[in-house]
Every structure is written in structure tokens, then in C-alpha cells.
Amino acid sequence: MNSIIPPNQERIERENIALSRKEGRLLRPADHYLIQVLDPSFQGDLVEIDDPVPTGRQVLTAAGKIPAERHLLLLIDDKGVLEEVNLDEPVDVYQRGVEQFIAFDSDRLFYVALNGRRFPWGQASIREDVLRQVGGIAEDHAIWLERRNEPDQILADGQSVDLDEPGLEKLYTQPKNWQLNVQGVMVDSGQPTILARDALKAAGFNPDKGWILVLKVKGEPKQSINMDDVVDLRKPGIEKIRLTPAEINNGEAAAVSALDFSLLEQDVAYLKHLGLNWETRLAGARRWLIIRDYALPSGYNHAQVDLAIEIPTAYPDAKLDMFFVHPALTLANGSGIGQTESRENILGSVFQRWSRHLNGITRWNPLTDSVITHLAVVEESLLREVGQ
Amino acid sequence: MLENVLPARRITIIDADTPPQKLPWRNLVLAREGSENWAVAFRCPCGCGKRLELLLIKEAKPNWSISMSKGEKPTLHPSIWLKAGCNSHFWIRDGKVFWV
């Protein structure tokens, strides 16, 4: 049945039928024709036939589906319509506009309806990705399974629909809708990704107000994100953006900015080495080194204090003297501590003054003494009161 | 100072990643999801009553750490410093507020 081949044309060795249709040209007469025969997963190779109007049996045999009687053959035309091909039925591949064949190792047809159109299938189930190819369904559309007495079900990536159930399985497609939970407000997105800033706007939050954003995705470590980061909504499960106003700083961040004056290089190195949280603060004309969370030996009514040391402008020529703690200390048994009755208000907190001085023998030496040696005095004084 | 007279602030733990909008007068609310501490919230102790929420998760910047002594008396580290409004700067140790 080589009727469609115009006469007087030179024969070529092989003609790819799918390709010629794609290129919109007439078939050239050839010794062999190439058609595509797919398996139920939509995978397949080109198969060579000698007749451009083969029968079902010829196609199956050429694709190695032997014996042909044990197989089923469907064709897909250029409109995406699936149709059964009987074994002895000739298919005018070119004129019919046949795109591809699908061969099944099966003896029974199942039916499924997609967007109101019924089509046959050679297996008891069909996968979501195969449905997409058969029906030409774009990625931005979701496939839904119609169900009775319960909500319709959206097909997940690669999910299979069971066609062996009683009754025709009805499927329909709808534009996909991605959702994001922004601090308890559900935001619908027509796009699979969304800018954090746009998500906040959609949820009614002002993105310029200053927020800390934490992205929670099911089964993934949470992460801190910025306003201009893109959130991918395609992962299974609903993502959540957790918002917290960014109006509060902590002392750690503040410590960096709270250097009102500088200490000696070796002092800074030493304080850093000890891992202390410290700052230098101006209070009027007075200069204070304040060490936060200074750990105390046991035996006091507190485990740690803020420790303040006044740094005279002329330091290190001028000596460091005494120290101040907040809150005020007593011994754990409630006893007071000698020479600590005086109070000093430093930057809004009441500090207890520890009147401890170098005695006549150990005198301040600007060349050798510093914050480092004064901290040794502090430590010794604190240990002495608790008898250590 | 009233803070020295009133009992230590205590903490209530809820199973959520976000503390509620409505907060108790003095006590703290800790939002804990599973075994993970997400955030702690309380009203600003300066008296302005502003709702303060601090993230405890290490992924966030800034973040705070919380520890609790017997009797649910919370200690937060490091200090809390409001960048706007009342500009309060304080520590919470053992349920007590210490002003900086």
C-alpha cells in the first residue's frame, strides 16, 4: 500500500516519518521508514518498517513485541488523541498525522477520561508524568483526580492513577497554585517561586518595616533569609516564613559598637583571649571598661556580675584603682563585705564599689601595669573574700 | 525599684514556633516546637508594655540563648537592647531584670 508516495521520485535509504511531519514536508519514497514505538513509561526508540502504511502487527513485530497477539498497540495522533490499533488494521501513518505508537504487554484495555475526553490505556495504572505527555499538559498545570463523596485529589509528581477501579477514572487539569504560609497567613502564588518581599506584601506585612525572616521547609533545616531571596514553593509540603520584628539588638552585637574609647593593644588582646563580653563606655567625663557576665568564684550571692573598671584619661600613666560590680554582692550566707558600702551609678545601673587598692609595696608602674594586671587584683580581691 | 520587690519572672512553655500575640503581664512565654526552642516573648520591663520577641534559633541573627533554673526562672543571654522606642537595655537573669 505505497499509494501515498508520489511517482517519479528518487528513493532514499531511510525516511524518518516523525521528523518529516515535524519539518512539514512530504514523505520521500524510501526503502525503510522510521517510526517511534514507546513503552508504557513513554520511553522508546525509533523502529524501522518497510511500509509507510503498516498494520498493527507489523509495528509490534518491528518493535520486537513478539508474538504480536500478546500485545496491545495504541497510536497517538497529532491532536494527542489515543486510539487502539487492531493487529490487522493498516495505519496510514503519514496521512493520519500519527505522532507515535505505544505498545503494551497486555491483553486488556483500560479507559481514563482527561478533561472530558476518554482515551484507552493498556495498563491498569497510568503515571502522572505519562499523563502529562499524552495530554500535552504544561508544567504550570496540576492534574486532579475527581472523587465522589470526598475532596478531589491532586496528583503528586510521578503518582499513578489506578484504572482498575469500577467506573471511569476522571481527571482534569487546573493551573497550579502554590502556597506559602507567611507567619500564619496563607499566600497563594501563581508562580512556583516567590520573592520573600512579595510574599510579605501579599500577606499584609510591610516588608520595609524591618523583619528577621526564617524559612521553614518540611524535612529541611530552617534557614535565615533576606527580603530579596527567592522562595521555591515546588517542594512538597507548605513552606513557612516565620517573621520576627528586627527591632531588638543583643548585647553581643552592641558590644562591637559600644567602644567609646580604646584601650591598650595588649588589653584588647587579653580581653579577647579570655573570651569576655566587654565594652568601653563614656559616661560624662568618666571612662568605663565594663565586662559583662564576669564569672565569680563560688561563695557569693550571685554567680556572675557586670564588672566596671574606671579608665582615667591619662591611663596608663594614671593608675587603675578599685572596681565596681553590678548587682551588689554579699557572701552567700548573707554577710556583708568590707569596704564595699559605696554605690556608684554607672550608665543607669547601680554598681557596688570595691575599695581595693595596691598597697605601698606594690605600686602602679605605667610600664608594666595595665588592665591585665588590674584584673589580677580584681580576681585576687574576689577570691580573698570567700577564703580561697 | 519594683523589680527588686516583685517575685522573679517565670516562664510558660507552649508548643509552637511563635509565641502568642497576647502576653502575660510579667512572665515570659517560650515557644518550643518538638525539642527546639524557637522564640521567647514578654512585655518590655521598662513599663512601656511593648511586645518583645527574641529568636532563640541559632540560624537567626541576632539570637539569644535561654536557660532555666529551678522553678522556671529564666536567664537570657546576651542582653536585650531595643533599637527604637524606649531604647531599653537590660539583662534577664534568674527571672530578674537588670538594667544596663
Side-chain angles (χ1 to χ4, degrees):
Chain A
M1 284 189 44
N2 287 355
S3 59
I4 62 158
I5 307 299
N8 313 324
Q9 220 179 334
E10 206 182 321
R11 288 178 79 83
I12 57 164
E13 174 80 17
R14 267 185 194 80
E15 175 66 300
N16 186 326
I17 293 181
L19 199 63
S20 76
R21 287 207 352 82
K22 206 173 279 175
E23 290 169 357
R25 57 177 167 79
L26 289 174
L27 277 189
R28 292 165 295 183
D31 292 334
H32 309 286
Y33 298 93
L34 294 172
I35 56 169
Q36 204 157 30
V37 182
L38 305 173
D39 69 14
S41 300
F42 248 67
Q43 305 298 311
D45 285 326
L46 289 173
V47 169
E48 197 173 277
I49 51 170
D50 298 335
D51 187 344
V53 189
T55 62
R57 185 187 305 278
Q58 277 178 294
V59 173
L60 283 169
T61 306
K65 309 290 181 189
I66 302 167
E69 284 76 11
R70 296 251 304 264
H71 292 81
L72 280 175
L73 188 67
L74 300 181
L75 66 79
I76 312 172
D77 72 14
D78 58 352
K79 293 174 195 72
V81 174
L82 267 73
E83 193 181 299
E84 188 189 1
V85 182
N86 290 319
L87 285 183
D88 297 316
E89 179 186 349
V91 183
D92 190 335
V93 169
Y94 190 74
Q95 296 292 3
R96 279 290 315 272
V98 172
E99 289 276 13
Q100 284 151 331
F101 292 92
I102 313 174
F104 296 90
D105 186 2
S106 163
D107 58 0
R108 189 187 146 188
L109 280 180
F110 299 83
Y111 289 89
V112 58
L114 179 61
N115 286 334
R117 206 166 64 189
R118 201 180 79 130
F119 67 85
W121 192 246
Q123 274 191 332
S125 69
I126 184 166
R127 269 201 341 244
E128 172 266 355
D129 53 314
V130 174
L131 269 167
R132 276 187 192 282
Q133 303 206 47
V134 172
I137 299 160
E139 274 302 314
D140 60 357
H141 278 61
I143 306 173
W144 290 82
L145 174 62
E146 222 176 273
R147 296 194 295 183
R148 254 183 233 169
N149 302 329
E150 53 183 326
D152 292 353
Q153 185 195 352
I154 191 164
L155 294 191
D157 289 354
Q159 190 187 342
S160 290
V161 181
D162 187 358
L163 306 180
D164 209 9
E165 301 277 316
L168 179 67
E169 300 307 319
K170 290 178 183 154
L171 299 160
Y172 61 95
T173 58
Q174 268 196 343
K176 266 187 193 168
N177 192 12
W178 289 275
Q179 287 193 310
L180 177 64
N181 176 337
V182 181
Q183 192 67 18
V185 181
M186 292 308 295
V187 172
D188 290 322
S189 170
Q191 299 297 320
T193 61
I194 189 167
L195 206 60
R197 173 183 303 281
D198 294 338
L200 260 73
K201 273 189 217 157
F205 295 97
N206 178 358
D208 299 319
K209 222 185 119 196
W211 300 97
I212 299 163
L213 311 180
V214 179
L215 177 66
K216 284 173 81 175
V217 179
K218 211 177 158 186
E220 283 186 23
K222 53 197 170 307
Q223 59 183 112
S224 179
I225 61 169
N226 296 316
M227 279 298 166
D228 296 316
D229 282 345
V230 172
V231 180
D232 190 338
L233 307 175
R234 276 173 291 213
K235 291 165 189 146
I238 292 173
E239 288 86 353
K240 178 177 181 182
I241 292 183
R242 169 82 169 67
L243 294 182
T244 306
E247 63 195 355
I248 311 171
N249 235 331
N250 69 29
E252 264 173 7
V256 179
S257 62
L259 293 179
D260 290 350
F261 62 93
S262 25
L263 296 169
L264 301 179
E265 241 172 70
Q266 73 239 41
D267 294 341
V268 173
Y270 183 69
L271 290 166
K272 278 189 181 157
H273 169 73
L274 294 181
L276 293 172
N277 179 12
W278 58 278
E279 54 201 80
T280 58
R281 301 286 301 270
L282 276 173
R286 301 176 76 178
R287 311 197 307 168
W288 296 98
L289 164 64
I290 299 173
I291 298 172
R292 307 290 178 191
D293 301 325
Y294 184 86
L296 298 175
S298 57
Y300 287 103
N301 59 334
H302 292 283
Q304 52 187 30
V305 287
D306 285 354
L307 171 69
I309 297 168
E310 184 166 15
I311 311 288
T313 319
Y315 168 79
D317 291 330
K319 66 176 178 185
L320 302 182
D321 192 25
M322 306 191 286
F323 61 94
F324 302 77
V325 299
H326 169 88
L329 295 176
T330 64
L331 296 181
N333 62 18
S335 310
I337 300 159
Q339 307 304 312
T340 61
E341 295 79 10
S342 181
R343 295 290 180 273
E344 185 80 43
N345 190 317
I346 304 170
L347 295 158
S349 295
V350 176
F351 279 71
Q352 175 190 37
R353 190 181 77 179
W354 282 55
S355 196
R356 301 290 183 272
H357 317 277
L358 296 175
N359 59 32
I361 303 155
T362 54
R363 193 178 293 237
W364 181 266
N365 178 349
L367 294 176
T368 54
D369 285 327
S370 64
V371 165
I372 302 172
T373 56
H374 195 62
L375 280 173
V377 173
V378 172
E379 192 176 328
E380 197 276 329
S381 305
L382 288 166
L383 284 169
R384 179 186 300 225
E385 296 300 331
V386 291
Q388 290 186 34
Chain B
M1 293 198 90
L2 207 57
E3 189 68 23
N4 296 329
V5 181
L6 291 170
R9 291 161 196 263
R10 290 176 190 280
I11 196 152
T12 310
I13 300 173
I14 61 160
D15 183 21
D17 68 9
T18 310
Q21 281 302 312
K22 224 174 136 53
L23 294 169
W25 182 242
R26 292 183 79 241
N27 288 348
L28 287 72
V29 179
L30 169 63
R32 176 183 285 171
E33 198 178 59
S35 60
E36 194 166 34
N37 290 335
W38 268 81
V40 66
F42 50 94
R43 291 164 182 266
C44 181
C46 83
C48 74
K50 187 177 170 56
R51 178 183 189 274
L52 305 183
E53 182 181 334
L54 312 179
L55 284 172
L56 304 172
I57 53 172
K58 63 182 188 311
E59 289 82 2
K61 289 270 174 306
N63 66 61
W64 284 260
S65 65
I66 192 166
S67 56
M68 274 160 277
S69 62
K70 274 172 270 168
E72 288 97 42
K73 288 190 280 185
T75 295
L76 286 169
H77 181 89
S79 65
I80 297 124
W81 195 345
L82 273 70
K83 292 191 281 192
C86 62
N87 283 311
S88 290
H89 188 186
F90 55 92
W91 292 79
I92 293 181
R93 294 202 194 94
D94 276 334
K96 291 276 188 187
V97 170
F98 296 96
W99 293 96
V100 174

